[in-house]
Amino acid sequence: MIIRNEDLPLIQRENAKGGVGVFINKMILQEDQFHNKGRLFARCKLAPGHSVGSHTHVGEMEICYFLNGVGTVESDGIRTQVYPGDVNIVNAGENHSVINTGKTDLEYIALILYTE
């Protein structure tokens, strides 16, 4: 199966998880394509100064692979700057937020898999 780039749904969320600005997700898979193993596989984008607010993953984990830009991830109270090629792993029960602290768009691939 091939899904063309132009056919991938684009979702824009204002103030995602209590964050600032617009969070853009290009959905690589739809939830029904996970066979009950996960719920999100998307290319994500935050403009400079925009963020995804702090949230906790319950019964799931998230992996964020950073593609472009510079940002800050806050996880369980620790702030870490992230660059292209970095990976943020958030295990079940942990929390995180993502903030674009750079001057260009922050882009990353996010994958959320169920742990239970």
Side-chain angles (χ1 to χ4, degrees):
M1 170 192 306
I2 301 294
I3 303 170
R4 298 286 178 201
N5 182 51
E6 60 269 15
D7 296 329
L8 297 174
L10 194 66
I11 297 174
Q12 297 187 36
R13 297 183 183 119
E14 295 281 337
N15 307 318
K17 307 285 185 185
V20 174
V22 179
F23 181 44
I24 300 170
N25 290 332
K26 186 158 228 181
M27 307 307 286
I28 298 169
L29 286 182
Q30 299 302 302
E31 195 166 348
D32 64 347
Q33 294 173 306
F34 277 95
H35 304 285
N36 299 314
K37 306 290 187 220
R39 68 175 180 85
L40 180 82
F41 184 32
R43 183 174 182 136
C44 305
K45 182 167 36 173
L46 292 165
H50 292 205
S51 65
V52 176
S54 183
H55 58 285
T56 301
H57 287 274
V58 177
E60 63 186 27
M61 67 176 298
E62 182 171 7
I63 302 110
C64 299
Y65 176 72
F66 292 90
L67 301 168
N68 299 303
V70 176
T72 299
V73 169
E74 184 169 338
S75 185
D76 291 321
I78 299 170
R79 295 174 69 100
T80 305
Q81 199 159 29
V82 291
Y83 303 93
D86 290 347
V87 178
N88 176 222
I89 299 171
V90 184
N91 289 304
E94 296 177 348
N95 67 52
H96 72 137
S97 63
V98 180
I99 308 153
N100 183 344
T101 53
K103 297 181 191 301
T104 61
D105 287 343
L106 179 65
E107 294 183 86
Y108 59 97
I109 299 291
L111 175 63
I112 297 177
L113 299 172
Y114 297 137
T115 57
E116 298 177 359

